[in-house]
Amino acid sequence: MHVAQHRRRTGLGTALLSHAAQAVVERATGNAVYLWVLDQNTAAQEFYRTLGGICVEKAPVSPLGGVPSRLADSPTKLRFTWPDASLLAQTDARRGAQTTPRNTP
């Protein structure tokens, strides 16, 4: 998930994550949801923590197409989890954010 710089702090990221969690609630057999974020993306990590995400794992980033030369250095990624997707799905309403992302640039 990526939100363009000029759309940050508008509720769009919260709405996107909330809608993704709602899809999990409606379609998945389990109740938990997780995502990976690059270790260097501290702004996203702060956003996920604000929404109740818990960092539970750190792992090396897999190279695109399995070609190690496509990676610079040895980047790592973090796995953030939400044990109850239904709580994350409700985040949008609790924060008073737009519940439907707009299609404007």
Side-chain angles (χ1 to χ4, degrees):
M1 181 174 88
H2 177 78
V3 175
Q5 181 67 37
H6 73 280
R7 296 298 306 268
R8 292 184 186 164
R9 300 192 120 8
T10 64
L12 181 59
T14 301
L16 289 170
L17 203 51
S18 176
H19 283 277
Q22 186 60 42
V24 169
V25 169
E26 292 171 0
R27 296 175 184 94
T29 56
N31 206 26
V33 64
Y34 73 89
L35 56 75
W36 291 97
V37 62
L38 290 174
D39 195 8
Q40 67 207 40
N41 192 345
T42 56
Q45 293 170 45
E46 182 180 335
F47 172 68
Y48 299 141
R49 283 188 179 97
T50 298
L51 295 178
I54 303 163
C55 182
V56 297
E57 183 179 358
K58 184 174 186 172
V61 172
S62 303
L64 294 173
V67 181
S69 63
R70 291 183 175 165
L71 290 177
D73 299 320
S74 301
T76 55
K77 60 186 178 180
L78 304 172
R79 185 165 63 108
F80 275 77
T81 66
W82 289 263
D84 187 346
S86 66
L87 295 177
L88 182 58
Q90 295 170 16
T91 301
D92 205 34
R94 285 195 311 261
R95 295 182 132 242
Q98 256 331 91
T99 55
T100 306
R102 296 178 186 166
N103 291 327
T104 56

